[in-house]
Amino acid sequence: MPRPVKPRKIAFVPQSTHFVPVNKAKCELKVMNLKLEELEAMRLKDIEKFNQEECAEKMNVSRQTFQLIIDEARKKVAEALTEGMAISIEGGNYTFNICKYECIDCGEVFSEPYEKEDHKCPKCDSENVLCIDKSNFCKRRCKRKRGCILY
């Protein structure tokens, strides 16, 4: 069974999600889809000027995964610009918030998306886990559930 892909953390969603070249008939227009995490990778590296390690950390991915994401993003943008294609920014595998949890049974510390409903320890499969994050979004959510341990 394939391992599920971990969502990438993004901090920015653009107001404009479609870019269309001028003087091109709509019926002739091809569209390049740019995923939100691809845009986020370019924003962090090319605009915010973070190094690769910092970008990967901010997106909650490995450096290798970050490099794959940004390479694909740059390829798509370059192709769209040189071929006169529209760019549509949507979709992908992302989350806005990542919480850190600790398993009460085995002590494993792991991270998962805030939006996920059920949290299980990846080591022992226990559901006896507590949030140990300090994020504001996490505190609000945990007040409705089991509560946070703040270190």
Side-chain angles (χ1 to χ4, degrees):
M1 181 173 179
R3 189 175 171 170
V5 178
K6 183 168 75 170
R8 283 81 175 186
K9 185 175 180 180
I10 65 168
F12 174 79
V13 177
Q15 289 182 331
S16 299
T17 58
H18 292 81
F19 299 87
V20 182
V22 294
N23 300 329
K24 190 122 184 189
K26 202 171 189 178
C27 61
E28 297 173 5
L29 198 58
K30 291 183 182 176
V31 178
M32 177 63 70
N33 185 40
L34 188 66
K35 296 175 184 173
L36 280 167
E37 66 260 28
E38 293 168 339
L39 177 64
E40 178 73 351
M42 289 192 307
R43 185 186 74 80
L44 290 171
K45 183 71 176 141
D46 301 331
I47 297 171
E48 299 294 330
K49 302 292 186 192
F50 290 113
N51 67 41
Q52 185 176 346
E53 189 172 340
E54 292 169 325
C55 293
E57 186 178 313
K58 288 182 178 299
M59 289 184 66
N60 196 40
V61 296
S62 69
R63 285 184 303 201
Q64 181 180 3
T65 299
F66 174 79
Q67 189 63 51
L68 293 171
I69 293 169
I70 198 164
D71 286 348
E72 183 65 18
R74 289 173 173 166
K75 178 181 180 241
K76 286 180 177 182
V77 170
E79 185 178 344
L81 293 174
T82 57
E83 303 284 327
M85 301 168 78
I87 298 175
S88 174
I89 303 168
E90 62 185 358
N93 183 25
Y94 64 91
T95 182
F96 292 103
N97 304 302
I98 303 291
C99 284
K100 190 176 280 187
Y101 296 89
E102 182 176 10
C103 178
I104 302 304
D105 296 336
C106 74
E108 178 78 2
V109 175
F110 59 99
S111 298
E112 287 190 332
Y114 155 83
E115 294 87 358
K116 188 174 177 184
E117 287 298 317
D118 298 319
H119 303 283
K120 284 186 176 182
C121 175
K123 186 175 181 182
C124 71
D125 217 28
S126 170
E127 292 182 10
N128 192 16
V129 298
L130 283 176
C131 176
I132 58 171
D133 210 333
K134 294 180 181 179
S135 305
N136 287 332
F137 66 84
C138 187
K139 288 180 202 169
R140 286 194 307 269
R141 179 174 190 240
C142 291
K143 283 179 185 173
R144 294 192 305 254
K145 285 201 167 194
R146 297 183 197 171
C148 289
I149 299 173
L150 300 178
Y151 292 115

